[in-house]
Amino acid sequence: MSSLENNFREIIPYTPGEQPQFKDKVKLNTKENPYPPSPKVMNKMLDYNELKLYPDPTAEELISAIADYHGVSKDMVFAGVGSDDVLATSFMAFFNSGKPILFPDITYAFYDVWANLFKIPFTKCPLNDNFKIEKEDYYRENGGIVFPNPNAPTGILMPLSQLEDILSHNRDVVVIVDEAYIDFGGESAIPLLNKYDNLVIVQTFSKSRSMAGMRIGYAIAGKRLIKELNTVKYSYNSYTLNYPSIKLGKLAIEDDEYFKNTVSKIINTRERVKKELSDLGFSGTESMSNFLFVTHKNIMAKDIFGALKEKHIFVRYFDKPRIDNYLRITIGTDDEMDKLIAFLKEYINK
Ligand code: PMP
């Protein structure tokens, strides 16, 4: 190694899903919402003259709208550049005891990347054979806990009673519940904030609000924890949210009717496609998210993934222990899902 390289950070980064550029693609690989953002967002003309100024560092307008929506006070909300930014800031703010933090072995692949980046020790708790989180695994001594609910890439939802058991066994550490997919059939842990001052709930505009390209995520927690998140934020970048995100994010969260409508369309499509895939010999988890996690009884997931890709139908395949015979399929529009099913029918019956 050269002496220059001795100065570098050695880290294996997260690999984001592919963003293929073909015009004719069916893109079901990165859990985006197939529907456009609210018409209130689409029809908004921004004052581009504002771009010459720095944005409001407190993102007050957006934070107020998020707080109103969830019925909490403004000092219980922290916003960032997608929930990735909010989660990374939370890792920096709350996982400093030197004790290992805990998260599932099969989960959002960014957790171990951040832990390594910030030099946080960690222990992975294996999901059981049904890909469920075993709450007792989280009763040991630890430096904090993080997991998605529903989990990714399994889509499995943990009931709130179990989540509360984990919280009550961990009063002295911060428990982060990543609710990126909670709107697709789950119940948020927000009401538990009244009881647990160690709880941080993270949500995003990227999935249920069709705003992945805008990069808006947020945390809801007791004000003591939100203050800590702001301390870390103002220690590395005061202007995380840009002017369009603040303005358009506010409009998106205010349009509850559009949000509910889009989410229910996705849930209906998910349930229909689940049945159609099962008729084709697929089985999978009981996903409560905007994606399905499935395996086929005869054909290897990797082969199906490759065959779909050749037809420009993109799904996600993870070459990782325990899940290397599964596909994660994002729920698209009905038309997109029909294309997927039509191709699979032909491919499987060949
Ligand atoms: N948490 C989970 C579980 C995710 O799957 C994702 C999406 N990759 C995120 C957080 C981050 O989403 P975003 O930064 O777009 O809010």
Side-chain angles (χ1 to χ4, degrees), residues 5 28 35 41 91 146 168 246 278 292 325 344 347:
E5 279 165 337
L28 309 173
Y35 300 106
V41 171
F91 272 53
V146 57
S168 65
I246 295 170
S278 150
L292 294 170
N325 202 19
L344 287 174
Y347 176 75

Side-chain angles (χ1 to χ4, degrees), residues 63 66 70 72 74-80 82-83 86-87 90 94 176-177 193 199-204 217-222 225-226 229:
I63 296 241
I66 295 170
H70 288 291
V72 298
K74 279 190 293 183
D75 53 10
M76 291 178 70
V77 180
F78 173 85
S83 53
V86 176
L87 287 161
S90 304
F94 303 128
I176 303 174
V177 180
L193 287 171
L199 171 61
V200 177
I201 294 160
V202 177
Q203 294 197 3
T204 177
Y218 57 95
I220 305 189
L225 299 191
I226 294 301
L229 286 172

Side-chain angles (χ1 to χ4, degrees), residues 14 30-31 81-87 107-111 114 147-152 178-181 202-207 211-212 215-218 291 316 328:
Y14 174 75
T30 48
K31 301 178 282 183
V81 187
S83 53
D84 281 341
D85 180 43
V86 176
L87 287 161
T107 195
Y108 186 30
F110 230 134
Y111 298 156
W114 287 317
F147 57 86
N149 197 38
N151 196 7
D178 176 353
E179 292 191 338
Y181 304 100
V202 177
Q203 294 197 3
T204 177
F205 281 49
S206 298
K207 325 286 176 181
M211 300 271 275
R215 311 303 299 126
I216 304 169
Y218 57 95
F291 52 86
R316 190 89 194 245
R328 192 196 66 200

Side-chain angles (χ1 to χ4, degrees), residues 164-184:
E164 181 162 9
D165 285 339
I166 294 180
L167 281 165
S168 65
H169 280 83
N170 287 283
R171 302 301 295 243
D172 296 333
V173 295
V174 174
V175 178
I176 303 174
V177 180
D178 176 353
E179 292 191 338
Y181 304 100
I182 198 68
D183 296 324
F184 300 101

